[in-house]
Amino acid sequence: MLDLSHGRSVDAARAARAGERAESGCGGPRIVEDRVRVVIAEDSVLLREGLTRLLTDRGHEVVAGVGDAQALIKTITELDAQGELPDVVVADVRMPPTHTDEGVRASVELRKTHPGLGVLVLSQYVEERYATELLAGSSRGVGYLLKDRVAEVREFVDAVVRVAQGGTALDPEVVAQLLGRSRKQDVLAGLTPREREVLGLMAEGRTNSAIARQLVVSDGAVEKHVSNIFLKLGLSPSDGDHRRVLAVLTYLNS
């Protein structure tokens, strides 16, 4: 899953909760995660309850579960008015009444009206237009996953936490489709084949160390490639840690 979060920024309320940890029971793998507050928007009661169980079993708090986009917006508005805005919304792309794009439309609206709210949308299959809409504007606190990815429990929960903390999570299938489209463009013509390879691995959420292991090169070599990518894409040091996000978004949105 795509993880572009480096140097995460969390508000005071989230920082206070970050010290609360949850670990799995005996016999299973040890899981330690930042505790986050979640609202789930999913019209399938079975899936909504399943998501709730996955998250609460790992120490997170599901503060509300709703079945349509209108209820989602109403719930977030009410929680915000009470000073209880959650960290992240997990929403289905398609919800009642038409089961077309109500969920993603509500998610895009919430990103505009509540900039500090993380939004992670779930879809049955890759819909490039929706992914692009979600990535438009600020790239912080946004995710797009296929529903099949929920079965990979650890990765799914990690994605929820990452988005809640201002990071980014994209399903590998989404990345593959968007990268396939962008390769037809010339915006990255200045990159060497190796730099393109490094940028592609960055888009999959790999850290520099993970990229080095994948390519069987030194960490220093990867850092040099990443610096060259930033330079060739015109991303100055003043952009700070967001340069990694901006580099991949340039790739995806070219």
Side-chain angles (χ1 to χ4, degrees):
M1 250 164 271
L2 175 60
D3 179 1
L4 306 178
S5 50
H6 289 255
R8 298 166 180 162
S9 174
V10 185
D11 63 25
R14 294 179 188 178
R17 288 194 294 272
E20 301 180 32
R21 306 287 178 175
E23 298 187 15
S24 66
C26 298
R30 184 171 182 270
I31 301 174
V32 179
E33 300 156 344
D34 293 329
R35 183 173 181 268
V36 298
R37 299 174 68 249
V38 188
V39 168
I40 298 175
E42 167 59 58
D43 62 296
S44 167
V45 176
L46 183 61
L47 180 54
R48 188 166 70 236
E49 292 301 319
L51 294 174
T52 298
R53 179 65 180 271
L54 287 180
L55 292 167
T56 56
D57 279 355
R58 283 154 183 79
H60 304 297
E61 180 184 0
V62 176
V63 297
V66 299
D68 61 71
Q70 184 176 358
L72 170 60
I73 292 176
K74 181 175 183 290
T75 297
I76 294 300
T77 301
E78 291 176 349
L79 288 171
D80 191 20
Q82 298 165 11
E84 295 292 336
L85 188 70
D87 300 302
V88 61
V89 165
V90 177
D92 190 359
V93 165
R94 300 173 181 269
M95 288 197 291
T98 69
H99 292 280
T100 55
D101 61 357
E102 284 89 348
V104 73
R105 292 294 180 192
S107 298
V108 170
E109 179 179 340
L110 288 173
R111 276 174 56 74
K112 293 177 181 177
T113 58
H114 300 79
L117 176 68
V119 173
L120 173 62
V121 301
L122 302 178
S123 181
Q124 200 67 42
Y125 51 89
V126 178
E127 298 175 273
E128 291 184 27
R129 178 170 61 88
Y130 296 157
T132 302
E133 280 189 75
L134 284 168
L135 289 168
S138 172
S139 60
R140 297 186 58 77
V142 63
Y144 186 111
L145 300 180
L146 295 183
K147 287 188 174 180
D148 287 348
R149 206 65 59 187
V150 175
E152 300 171 17
V153 176
R154 182 187 292 270
E155 290 191 15
F156 169 70
V157 176
D158 284 348
V160 173
V161 174
R162 193 157 65 242
V163 171
Q165 294 182 331
T168 307
L170 288 181
D171 194 282
E173 291 297 323
V174 176
V175 173
Q177 287 203 23
L178 294 180
L179 291 184
R181 181 189 63 189
S182 64
R183 286 195 180 101
K184 299 175 183 177
Q185 309 298 325
D186 294 328
V187 67
L188 304 176
L191 299 184
T192 67
R194 178 62 93 182
E195 289 164 356
R196 282 174 173 264
E197 191 173 11
V198 169
L199 184 51
L201 291 170
M202 287 167 59
E204 293 178 7
R206 312 282 185 104
T207 63
N208 285 0
S209 295
I211 293 173
R213 291 193 297 271
Q214 176 72 19
L215 300 180
V216 194
V217 297
S218 68
D219 287 1
V222 173
E223 290 174 4
K224 182 176 179 179
H225 288 312
V226 172
S227 294
N228 287 339
I229 290 169
F230 292 158
L231 179 64
K232 291 179 180 181
L233 295 183
L235 301 174
S236 68
S238 63
D239 291 317
D241 291 327
H242 292 300
R243 286 193 297 175
R244 199 175 187 92
V245 176
L246 294 172
V248 173
L249 290 181
T250 297
Y251 204 13
L252 299 180
N253 293 323
S254 62

